[in-house]
Amino acid sequence: QVQLVESGGGLVQAGGSLRLSCAASGRTFSRHNMGWFRQAPGKEREFVATISWSGSTTYYTDSVKGRFTISRDNAKNTVYLQMNSLKPEDTAVYVCAAAWAAGVWTIMTTKGSYDYWGQGTQVTVSS
């Protein structure tokens, strides 16, 4: 069982930056691939970024490439999402998710690929 708690959301002007954190409980964090998703009002939850269990490999949705960076610190059981050059269309609840990897890296962009989910943190970007 993995429990995930996000933090770091808030209100920021367009062009600004935020760093989201997702703290995980349990001793198996380092064996999970991690992902960030987001959900805007009235829209489906969409994939943002994912990182392998080792932290060596990442993958992003096209709309955030070059602006967002996903990273992790397995010693701290935490995954991060650094968001730069934020746009109003980035406004959403950001949710982190964990997928059991057992040492295998697979690009996981669908909700059904993940086993555990956090509650989310609100990010609002004003124009």
Side-chain angles (χ1 to χ4, degrees):
Q1 186 79 8
V2 176
Q3 292 184 324
L4 304 171
V5 179
E6 302 91 339
S7 61
L11 173 64
V12 64
Q13 288 188 330
S17 298
L18 282 175
R19 188 195 196 201
L20 306 184
S21 298
C22 174
S25 66
R27 295 181 292 178
T28 61
F29 175 75
S30 63
R31 303 193 72 183
H32 285 78
N33 296 325
M34 299 297 295
W36 284 97
F37 286 73
R38 66 187 180 186
Q39 188 166 14
K43 294 188 176 181
E44 292 289 319
R45 185 170 292 185
E46 66 172 358
F47 167 78
V48 175
T50 183
I51 188 167
S52 63
W53 56 275
S54 66
S56 63
T57 308
T58 59
Y59 182 80
Y60 301 88
T61 192
D62 286 345
S63 62
V64 308
K65 285 180 181 176
R67 300 189 298 123
F68 291 11
T69 303
I70 187 171
S71 61
R72 67 189 294 163
D73 185 338
N74 285 344
K76 295 182 178 180
N77 276 18
T78 303
V79 62
Y80 305 97
L81 187 67
Q82 177 67 44
M83 305 186 295
N84 299 329
S85 302
L86 282 161
K87 304 175 181 180
E89 51 263 44
D90 294 318
T91 295
V93 175
Y94 283 72
V95 185
C96 72
W100 176 252
V104 176
W105 164 246
T106 304
I107 296 176
M108 299 175 179
T109 63
T110 60
K111 293 176 288 185
S113 298
Y114 291 84
D115 305 301
Y116 304 101
W117 294 85
Q119 292 299 310
T121 185
Q122 176 70 46
V123 171
T124 303
V125 184
S126 63
S127 57

